[in-house]
Amino acid sequence: MISADRLLPLWLKYREALETPVRTFEFERFGRRFEDRTYQMGVLNLSPDSSYRETVCHTFEAALYRGRRMTLEGAAMVDIGAESTGDAADRVAAERQIDRMRPVVRALADETIMVSAETYHPEVGVALLEAGAAVINLTGRVDDPAFYEKIAAHKAGVVLCYTPGENARSQDSLPPAEDIFDHQLSFFRDRIRLATEAGIERLWVDPGFGFALHLPDGPDRIRYQTDSILQSFRLRELGWPVAVQLTGAVYLFRDEVRVAQTSAATLAVLSKANLVRSHEVPRVQPVLNLQDFA
């Protein structure tokens, strides 16, 4: 059970990380300032393979509508992807991803809506930066400094996602639970060095606990992902804001699975997450708005 007598020892044990300040930065073109609080990234899926059917947009018009609506509902940015990370999803060639995403990214950016482009292909990231994307949600390991220099040149940001393999679609298993945090710290220190040496000044770190997770929807998966959210604050020791994906479990929520992300958002705020990736913007935003009343 998640209760004060479980959380307090965790917070006390890692109090230094809990109290570490993280960077504040702005995206001037979009009038967005990100401080040490929790903001929402709303999901817009251009992949028909996504398991979360409510966020899939099959037409350009539907994608524009969803992007505009999520912004009005409180999303600080719209996260657009064209390939699902699910095991059963088809691979989508980089060129096809660009073709799907570029018109939507350009149209939303032209309306001063801040867009994040989810990809692990550098060529996709560069093409979408040129179309107006403000952030690259990087779901893989890219070692080429020139890629990060492109992000910096556009005064854009990056979400660095931990992946045990080369990218979110790799079949590599996660390290043992007791070792994963050390693996993540090593991964992020290396990636942050690459990014900042290339001139990037706006970034988030994401523990990526939905990637390469070979656990069926059930108690073990719920325990793992819940514990990952609750311990995500430990990454604050890196000095950069932390992003997390809000999870949901059909096993636990059954017909009410669409409210699962509200529950996860509550845990994320408790854990001082700075950016939550959500499929349910209007349900999650009131939870985040509570920060203004506490």
Side-chain angles (χ1 to χ4, degrees):
M1 177 179 290
I2 301 167
S3 58
D5 56 356
R6 178 185 173 189
L7 293 176
L8 184 58
L10 180 66
W11 291 340
L12 290 175
K13 183 176 181 179
Y14 301 109
R15 183 171 182 172
E16 186 174 349
L18 188 69
E19 296 179 347
T20 298
V22 296
R23 305 286 183 95
T24 291
F25 43 75
E26 298 185 24
F27 292 81
E28 292 86 356
R29 182 159 67 95
F30 297 93
R32 288 284 184 184
R33 178 179 174 86
F34 290 88
E35 300 179 337
D36 191 2
R37 56 177 290 144
T38 311
Y39 300 88
Q40 187 169 189
M41 164 194 276
V43 176
L44 194 165
N45 265 318
L46 297 180
S47 167
D49 293 325
S50 174
S51 60
Y52 213 101
R53 311 310 301 170
E54 290 78 10
T55 56
V56 175
C57 297
H58 295 284
T59 67
F60 173 76
E61 291 76 18
L64 282 189
Y65 174 78
R66 178 164 179 79
R68 292 164 176 161
R69 177 171 175 171
M70 287 192 295
T71 302
L72 292 173
E73 291 167 341
M77 71 177 83
V78 174
D79 189 51
I80 302 178
E83 180 184 275
S84 171
T85 58
D87 289 342
D90 290 336
R91 296 275 182 167
V92 181
E95 296 80 6
R96 180 61 176 147
Q97 290 190 37
I98 293 169
D99 288 344
R100 286 181 181 177
M101 297 168 70
R102 182 160 46 195
V104 181
V105 170
R106 180 175 288 127
L108 291 175
D110 285 348
E111 296 183 18
T112 325
I113 293 174
M114 190 169 165
V115 175
S116 165
E118 179 196 333
T119 187
Y120 52 84
H121 294 289
E123 59 269 42
V124 175
V126 171
L128 298 178
L129 286 169
E130 292 171 352
V135 176
I136 300 300
N137 186 7
L138 186 61
T139 56
R141 305 185 185 207
V142 177
D143 295 325
D144 184 3
F147 173 64
Y148 300 97
E149 290 168 1
K150 288 280 189 181
I151 296 173
H154 282 85
K155 297 184 178 179
V158 63
V159 180
L160 298 172
C161 295
Y162 170 73
T163 59
E166 288 303 307
N167 58 64
R169 297 298 303 276
S170 300
Q171 294 300 308
D172 303 71
S173 295
L174 290 166
E178 62 272 18
D179 298 332
I180 192 168
F181 187 72
D182 289 336
H183 280 259
Q184 289 175 336
L185 278 182
S186 176
F187 173 90
F188 284 127
R189 287 188 176 118
D190 178 57
R191 302 292 103 184
I192 289 170
R193 178 186 55 78
L194 264 175
T196 55
E197 287 182 358
I200 290 176
E201 299 176 344
R202 305 161 181 85
L203 70 81
W204 292 263
V205 294
D206 182 338
F209 49 75
F211 302 145
L213 183 55
H214 304 307
L215 293 172
D217 185 18
D220 289 341
R221 186 182 183 96
I222 293 168
R223 290 189 192 99
Y224 174 79
Q225 292 186 325
T226 300
D227 189 60
S228 296
I229 292 179
L230 290 175
Q231 298 216 36
S232 61
F233 73 87
R234 295 174 60 189
L235 294 173
R236 291 171 62 92
E237 74 173 69
L238 296 164
W240 293 92
V242 178
V244 299
Q245 179 171 321
L246 298 185
T247 58
V250 176
Y251 172 86
L252 185 62
F253 287 86
R254 300 185 184 274
D255 290 344
E256 297 302 321
V257 69
R258 292 194 65 187
V259 304
Q261 296 204 335
T262 305
S263 172
T266 302
L267 301 183
V269 173
L270 281 174
S271 303
K272 300 182 75 171
N274 300 101
L275 187 65
V276 295
R277 185 176 184 272
S278 164
H279 291 270
E280 298 288 354
V281 171
R283 289 177 168 87
V284 166
Q285 193 58 41
V287 175
L288 307 189
N289 290 345
L290 283 172
Q291 296 171 102
D292 297 322
F293 297 91

